[in-house]
């Protein structure tokens, strides 16, 4: 067991954890933040994407201990003061989700994407979400949602 | 999804890391974790100890000087892809980094972790071979420099010893009138390279090829140079016909891999196609 | 006042919880004293289990129990039943954990229950199993040949069923044709890949004998029925709750072994037990789809008229017959081979065979993509042979419009309504087909490899007319129930037996009720996925939810309106027959000022003031909808592709479609279903395919090796609709969930073949990977 000090969604935590505990499992099983989903075990699907010190990472491929001392943002913290993040709002407005299982990861990937590139082309958006597999939507409305959010955020 | 048990050390310095590495049998370095953790989750790798080098700041940097570029082992693909220095000096490396996995993987995966893992379909090895990179490794008793051509030994096997830590990669500056390019044909599921080719060419003032180096990844057990193609380019003006003819030899003598994604024959064919495209792109970049 | 809510885009009501990470997926749930289940699966595709030594695992601290197949059998657990029983079907029993033989690499050998996930996983490594490997067969046709390894003593030559259907006289059609084309077509095996892996949380209360199973499932009531049979747990003490489910695509219809084991363990241990599937486990243990090998003959006249189709299909069923597996390559496939055409003579025979592979069952489209792909490839081969435009061959054969009546096919089914010919023309016009052909000719001159593909389809949805389904082998009625309950202040709850796992029923079903009752959509709450809250249900699959579940809600709502009318009559002191209900008000005909609001009637129903004592109070109604026929969506999809001549890589450059899914409740949601369907179908055409080696090992065993479609592989789709109301349900709905998948595979495959026409290529099997296309272009097949 090892000491973990971590700030998740602005709250500081301290836990004794097994070294093999993955960040995704820590968020879900220890903190009860189940908005971060686990969809594969080979780092492909992106359902587990969170922001680690501000950048999108696949939390199933990060040990909790690798995030020691870091800031983590999960989907649960995106809505602030009762207001949806523009990406959340745009996903809702544009039918950017169906079953919702990939949605947390998809939105957080888009947060990272728009931070690096506030005015992406459709092609850049499609490439930007290559690490997130959605089996429901066919991606078209996800792309539309990200475009709408980008316009809103500019 | 659940890795086997292991001991974890978070090293705060290179010397601490190599100290732990030297003391523990079956210890492995944990850089970004994007090669070793997936293998551990499937229980395909079961190291007894992981030495986390993520906290060693000096391993995460890009230093460009007159003679070349040094990239720390913990530098992420995203940092490399975003670096203006690398884009201007080493566009092939910039492109290779940009084409790895996806944004999240690039944000976390590192150049050191990737090349130490030596996946036969990883992108960097082709570039490092073609650009004549050198790897700098440290162990408790000293350090050494390993040329890329000696580094990638075989399938998932490098020249690194079990007690050595790869600390940085040094890529010499391109000679004047040089161009480099990386071209990749991805495997559609993993988006690793089915074949990836890096070409670097130097032309003399008459436009004749004075130097050519071609690195190929994905095709066989480990990345290698296409020496026959390189020789065929030397001393020639690199028009389309010359490039095609030279690229046609790129797979000669290569023992290509065969799996559910591509037969050896198709990989060999892709090697020739991607080589031609890489050379063309490299020539187009010569100033 | 909200009017005409049906047919309007309403933003989804399920989204606020899902975009904020507040969905209740099964693995998100935690109960006090919850233990964790893991399952040891066979490393061999076929092996005798000689000995299992679990002593080391049992001794590991934190391990609560280790079970084997015999432990379950001795504990009274029965094999998992087959829910579609064809005549003379041969069923090899499927025990939740293998008894003495492992028949595929997903077969469970032993199960561990431990106090945490890590211990449960680690303990698996401590179970020693002595296997005697047996010969393996993975191919559906080879399994029937002499000397092939035998899986079940019940099914000689591994033939679980032989089934045939036909209409007209196909032999005569073949004999009298101007031409006959013979072709073998392989419809490869697919892995569904709902992004949420399966999970099960069983909670048995020893004090009451009540068992609750939370699971990732598309039809909880059917699971209750099956689980009652398997466990011997009485159904009135068994609750199945499937909360938010992260996609299904058919793969979550069935009762799976893992769920049975979790329930058994919870009963044995008297504490909650959770099992969560890993993705690599999902690839082996969750059903696969498709996997047909078909030999086809098509008969035609010189003018392009198709006169006959004869098909022999080997349908791989995998190691055991999954719950609805026998339905898929029979009634959802064979009779649909006439497709949208007037082909008068069709015959199809099907061998459903067992192999040492993961069981195959319904996966998005289930039978109809196989039928459509086969037919559409053959139509294009006729066009190629006759040097006709593929559009013209379709025009020659397509069923003329039948908007106010049925079209009787030459086999079992009578199509409900449609304008197949009109939709073909609409799609060609929308695509600019004539212009695209010009562009193609120009591109070819420049050395480009460009192709255009058409897929014209009709499919079968809206299962099912119960008595018809029973006569075809259904072991459970596929009708649907609804309970519409009005609360005293006028808010409404709808309990539906349909189950949404992405389809947006909480929105569309609320639209149906709000539209009729004159309420706002927000006033209606839809409850699904809980057998203790919903009277009955058959669940969601086969694009049936609107046509059957939605129809039940419509009928129940009508009953509520009628019930309310009795109360309103007393409140208005008028005769019931003189009342009309419009815009949320009951009023006296011709006297609009004499009216009472629906919400006031609701209060009266629970708090009577004017209604006399002998009138029944309360305001709710139940309906069970049993449709008079299936529904048959149709349409035409057009795809354009460009092939890299150097590498064979296919890029889709244009995609246009027209679909008739019947009357649409929410256009935004239907369009989303079409988008998703297209991508899944294109996945089959270009990238997806499960690959086994000869030892039965799954080589495409993870997302690293099984290529799923990603965003950058697609252009923007140009979709449109043509709504022909179905006459078989009061909503006029047909079904939208699978249409895209049914159509798109053939559209893209035909486009690639069209691109390869100058190379003399007539057909290559899917997936049309870069290598296969390159080989075809270079005569290296």
């Amino acid at each position: 067991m090892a000491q973990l000090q971590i700030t998740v969604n602005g709250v500081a935590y301290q836990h004794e954890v097994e070294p093999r505990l993955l960040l995704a499992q820590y968020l879900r099983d220890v903190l009860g933040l189940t908005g971060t989903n686990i969809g594969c075990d080979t780092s492909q699907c992106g359902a587990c994407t969170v922001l680690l010190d501000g950048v999108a990472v696949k939390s199933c491929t990060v040990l909790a201990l690798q995030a020691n001392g870091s800031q983590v943002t999960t989907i649960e913290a995106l809505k602030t003061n009762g207001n949806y993040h523009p990406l959340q709002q745009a996903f809702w407005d544009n039918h950017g989700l169906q079953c919702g299982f990939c949605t947390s990861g998809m939105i957080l990937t888009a947060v990272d994407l728009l931070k690096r590139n506030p005015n992406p082309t459709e092609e850049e958006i499609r490439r930007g979400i290559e690490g997130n597999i959605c089996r429901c939507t066919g991606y078209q409305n996800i792309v539309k949602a990200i475009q709408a959010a980008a316009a809103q955020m500019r | 999804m659940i890795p086997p048990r292991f001991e974890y050390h978070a090293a705060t310095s290179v010397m601490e890391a190599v100290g732990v590495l030297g003391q523990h049998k079956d210890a492995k370095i944990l850089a970004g974790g994007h090669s070793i953790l997936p293998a551990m989750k499937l229980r395909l790798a079961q190291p007894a100890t992981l030495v986390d080098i993520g906290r060693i700041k000096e391993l995460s940097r890009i230093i460009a000087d007159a003679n070349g570029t040094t990239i720390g082992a913990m530098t992420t693909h995203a940092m490399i892809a975003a670096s203006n220095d690398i884009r201007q000096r080493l566009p092939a490396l910039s492109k290779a980094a940009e084409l790895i996995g996806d944004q999240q993987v690039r944000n976390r995966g590192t150049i050191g972790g990737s090349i130490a893992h030596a996946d036969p379909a990883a992108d960097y090895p082709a570039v490092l071979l073609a650009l004549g990179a050198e790897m700098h490794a440290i162990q408790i008793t000293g350090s050494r420099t390993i040329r890329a051509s000696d580094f990638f030994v075989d399938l998932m096997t490098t020249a690194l010893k079990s007690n050595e830590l790869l600390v940085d990669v040094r890529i010499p500056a391109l000679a004047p009138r040089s161009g480099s390019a990386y071209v990749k044909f991805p495997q559609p599921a993993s988006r690793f390279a089915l074949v990836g080719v890096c070409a670097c060419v130097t032309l003399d003032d008459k436009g004749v090829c004075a130097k050519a180096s071609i690195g190929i990844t994905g095709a066989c057990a480990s990345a290698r140079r296409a020496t026959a193609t390189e020789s065929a380019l030397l001393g020639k003006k690199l028009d389309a016909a010359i490039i095609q003819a030279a690229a046609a030899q790129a797979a000669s003598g290569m023992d290509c891999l065969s799996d559910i994604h591509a037969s050896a024959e198709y990989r060999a064919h892709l090697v020739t196609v991607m080589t031609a495209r890489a050379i063309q792109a490299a020539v187009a970049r010569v100033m | 006042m909200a009017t005409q809510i049906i047919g309007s885009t309403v933003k989804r009501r399920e989204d606020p919880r899902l975009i904020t990470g507040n969905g209740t997926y099964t693995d998100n749930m935690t109960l006090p004293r919850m233990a964790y289940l893991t399952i040891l699966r066979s490393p061999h595709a076929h092996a005798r289990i000689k000995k299992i030594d679990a002593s080391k695992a049992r001794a590991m601290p934190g391990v609560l129990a280790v079970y084997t197949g015999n432990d379950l059998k001795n504990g009274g657990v029965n094999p998992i039943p087959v829910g579609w029983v064809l005549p003379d079907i041969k069923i090899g029993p499927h025990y939740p954990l293998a008894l003495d033989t492992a028949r595929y690499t997903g077969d469970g050998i032993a199960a561990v229950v431990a106090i945490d996930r890590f211990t449960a996983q680690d303990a698996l490594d401590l179970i020693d199993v002595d296997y005697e490997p047996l010969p393996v067969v993975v191919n559906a046709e080879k399994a029937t040949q002499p000397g092939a390894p035998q899986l079940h003593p019940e099914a000689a030559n591994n033939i679980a069923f032989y089934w045939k259907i036909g209409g007209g006289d196909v032999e005569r059609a073949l004999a009298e044709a101007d031409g006959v084309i013979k072709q073998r077509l392989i419809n490869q095996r697919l892995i569904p890949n709902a992004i949420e892996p399966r999970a099960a949380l069983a909670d048995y209360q020893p004090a009451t004998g009540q068992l609750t199973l939370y699971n990732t499932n598309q039809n909880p009531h059917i699971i209750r029925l099956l689980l009652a049979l398997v466990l011997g747990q009485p159904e009135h003490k068994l609750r199945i709750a499937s909360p938010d489910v992260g996609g299904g695509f058919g793969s979550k219809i069935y009762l799976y072994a893992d769920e049975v084991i979790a329930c058994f363990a919870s009963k044995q241990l008297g504490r909650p037990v959770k099992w969560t599937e890993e993705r690599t486990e999902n690839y082996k243990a969750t059903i696969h789809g498709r996997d047909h090998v078909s030999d086809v003959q098509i008969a035609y006249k010189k003018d392009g008229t198709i006169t006959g189709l004869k098909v022999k299909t080997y349908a791989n069923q995998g190691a055991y017959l999954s719950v609805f597996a026998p339905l898929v390559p029979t009634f959802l496939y064979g009779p649909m081979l006439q497709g949208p055409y007037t082909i008068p003579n069709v015959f199809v025979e099907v061998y459903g065979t067992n192999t040492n592979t993961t069981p195959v069952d319904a996966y998005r489209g289930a039978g109809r993509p196989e039928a459509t792909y086969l037919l559409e490839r053959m139509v294009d081969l006729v066009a190629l042979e006759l040097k006709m435009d593929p559009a013209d061959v379709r025009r020659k054969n397509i069923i003329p419009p039948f908007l106010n009546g049925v079209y009787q096919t030459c086999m079992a089914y009578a199509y409900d309504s449609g304008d197949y010919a009109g939709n073909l023309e609409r799609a060609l016009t929308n695509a600019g087909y004539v212009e695209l052909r010009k562009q193609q000719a120009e591109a070819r001159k420049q050395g480009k490899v460009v192709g255009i593909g058409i897929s014209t389809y009709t499919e079968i949805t809206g299962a099912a007319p119960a008595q018809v389904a029973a006569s075809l082998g259904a072991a459970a009625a596929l009708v649907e129930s609804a309970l519409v309950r009005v609360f005293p202040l006028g808010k409404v709850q709808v309990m539906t037996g349909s189950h949404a796992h992405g389809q947006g029923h909480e929105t569309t079903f609320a639209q149906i009720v709000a539209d009729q009752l004159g309420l706002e959509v927000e006033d209606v709450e839809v409850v699904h996925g809980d057998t203790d809250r919903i009277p009955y249900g058959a669940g969601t699959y086969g694009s049936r939810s609107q046509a059957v579940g939605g129809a039940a809600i419509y009928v129940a709502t009508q009953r509520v309106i009628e019930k309310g009318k009795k109360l309103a009559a007393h409140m208005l002191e008028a005769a019931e027959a003189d009342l009309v209900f419009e815009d949320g008000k009951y009023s006296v005909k011709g006297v609009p000022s004499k009216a009472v609001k629906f919400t006031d009637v609701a209060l009266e129903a629970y708090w009577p003031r004017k209604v006399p004592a002998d009138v029944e109070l309360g305001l709710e109604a139940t309906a069970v909808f049993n449709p008079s026929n299936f529904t048959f969506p149709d349409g035409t999809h057009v795809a354009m592709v460009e092939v890299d001549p150097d590498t064979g890589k296919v890029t889709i450059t244009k995609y246009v479609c027209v679909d008739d899914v019947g009357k649409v409740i929410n256009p935004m949601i239907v369009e989303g279903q079409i988008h998703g369907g297209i991508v899944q179908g294109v996945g089959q055409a270009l990238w997806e395919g499960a690959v086994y080696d000869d030892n039965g090992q799954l080589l495409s065993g993870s997302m690293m090796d099984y290529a799923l479609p990603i965003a950058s592989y697609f252009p923007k789709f140009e979709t449109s609709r043509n709504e022909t109301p179905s006459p078989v349900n009061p909503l006029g709905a047909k079904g939208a969930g699978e249409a895209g998948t049914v159509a798109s595979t053939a559209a893209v495959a035909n486009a690639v073949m069209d691109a390869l026409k100058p190379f003399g290529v007539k057909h290559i099997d899917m997936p049309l990977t870069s290598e296969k296309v390159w080989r075809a272009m270079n005569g290296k097949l």
Side-chain angles (χ1 to χ4, degrees), chain C residues 352-616:
Chain C
T353 68
N354 290 123
T355 62
N356 297 112
T357 60
T358 295
V360 173
D361 208 322
Y363 163 61
R364 199 171 195 170
R368 296 95 81 200
E370 295 91 316
T372 301
Y373 172 75
L374 183 151
L375 188 55
E376 291 303 282
R377 281 300 305 126
M378 294 311 292
V379 168
D380 266 27
L381 288 175
V382 169
L384 189 66
E385 195 63 37
L386 292 173
K387 298 186 169 58
M388 283 177 71
D389 187 317
D392 290 334
V393 177
R394 287 176 173 80
R395 287 180 174 121
K396 193 91 199 160
N397 292 283
I398 200 151
I399 293 169
F402 56 108
L403 302 174
N404 300 306
V406 298
Y407 180 86
Q408 180 61 52
T409 69
C410 77
M411 286 175 285
Y413 298 136
Y415 297 157
D416 59 341
S417 70
D419 179 12
Y420 301 179
N423 292 337
L424 170 62
E425 296 306 329
R426 283 181 193 96
L428 294 174
T429 304
N430 291 359
Y433 185 70
V434 175
E435 181 56 30
L436 291 186
R437 285 290 177 202
K438 283 183 198 153
Q439 285 175 20
Q440 180 188 34
E442 196 51 44
R444 278 182 174 160
K445 277 185 210 154
Q446 294 164 19
K448 288 187 178 173
V449 184
V450 171
I452 301 159
I454 305 170
S455 172
T456 297
Y457 73 97
T458 182
E459 57 140 342
I460 179 168
T461 57
Q467 290 75 7
V468 176
S471 73
L472 304 181
L478 306 181
V479 299
E480 199 52 85
S481 84
L483 166 59
V484 174
R485 175 174 293 157
V486 184
F487 293 135
L489 299 180
K491 304 292 185 194
V492 181
Q493 246 183 10
V494 181
M495 305 342 142
T496 172
S498 297
H499 184 281
H501 29 280
Q503 297 89 340
H505 296 169
E506 290 169 41
T507 308
T508 53
F509 288 170
Q511 285 181 255
I512 294 170
V513 175
D515 185 276
Q516 290 176 82
L517 296 182
L519 300 172
E520 300 294 336
V521 173
E522 292 69 33
D523 295 331
V524 184
E525 194 70 20
V526 176
V527 177
H528 64 97
D530 187 338
T531 59
D532 270 11
R533 296 182 72 186
I534 295 144
Y536 190 70
T540 287
Y541 40 84
S543 308
R544 67 190 296 273
S545 294
Q546 284 305 345
V548 193
I553 291 167
Y554 180 91
V555 173
T557 309
Q558 287 298 323
R559 288 181 185 163
V560 164
I561 292 170
E562 286 309 305
K563 217 166 176 178
K565 193 181 268 183
K566 287 192 200 336
L567 304 170
H570 291 286
M571 293 168 76
L572 292 168
E573 294 170 346
E576 202 184 320
D578 291 339
L579 295 191
V580 288
F581 183 71
E582 269 175 7
D583 292 337
K585 280 184 298 212
Y586 293 95
S587 61
V588 178
K589 263 180 226 159
V591 194
S593 61
K594 204 173 172 189
V596 58
K597 284 195 294 185
F598 179 75
T599 47
D600 293 334
V601 174
L603 188 61
E604 184 76 18
Y606 294 96
W607 187 7
R609 286 157 291 181
K610 291 193 170 172
V611 174
D614 61 341
V615 172
E616 187 183 288

Side-chain angles (χ1 to χ4, degrees), chain B residues 19-184:
Chain B
V20 177
L21 208 52
Q23 285 154 20
H24 290 74
K25 264 205 162 138
D26 197 20
K28 290 269 184 200
I29 294 292
L30 176 66
H34 274 49
S35 298
I36 196 161
L37 291 180
M40 289 171 68
K41 281 158 63 182
L42 299 175
R43 302 206 169 193
L44 300 173
Q46 311 214 354
T49 302
L50 284 185
V51 186
D52 186 351
I53 57 169
R55 267 150 242 292
I56 307 173
K57 288 210 168 57
E58 68 264 32
L59 292 184
S60 178
R61 61 184 179 184
I62 298 166
I63 299 167
D65 58 44
N67 299 321
T69 308
T70 301
I71 304 170
M74 273 302 299
T75 309
T76 63
H77 314 316
M79 289 167 69
I80 293 170
S83 160
N84 283 328
D85 278 335
I86 290 183
R87 194 173 308 118
Q88 281 157 19
R89 295 160 153 247
L90 306 166
L93 180 66
S94 180
K95 191 66 173 174
E98 184 194 318
L99 295 177
I100 292 173
D102 52 62
Q103 186 61 44
Q104 296 97 303
V105 167
R106 292 191 290 273
N107 282 343
R108 193 73 199 153
T110 64
I111 188 168
S114 173
I115 63 179
H117 189 65
D119 190 299
D123 296 287
Y124 287 132
V127 180
L128 301 184
L129 276 174
L131 301 187
E134 292 179 333
M135 322 304 169
H136 183 208
I138 292 184
Q139 58 170 299
I140 200 81
T141 53
S143 70
R144 64 174 175 143
T145 296
I146 311 166
R147 287 183 307 183
S149 51
D150 298 326
F151 188 83
F152 301 104
V153 175
D154 204 344
L155 192 78
M156 319 297 263
T157 309
T158 69
L160 285 172
K161 296 186 187 126
S162 63
N163 62 349
E164 274 183 321
L165 171 67
L166 172 67
V167 288
D168 57 46
V169 177
R170 171 83 179 164
I171 302 167
L174 266 51
R177 296 189 51 78
S178 294
S180 76
Y182 179 70
V183 177
K184 173 178 181 175

Side-chain angles (χ1 to χ4, degrees), chain B residues 114 230 233:
Chain B
S114 173
E230 293 169 0
L233 295 172

Side-chain angles (χ1 to χ4, degrees), chain B residues 227-239:
Chain B
T227 47
T229 300
E230 293 169 0
S231 310
L233 295 172
L234 285 178
K236 309 259 172 57
K237 285 212 172 191
L238 301 186
D239 62 23

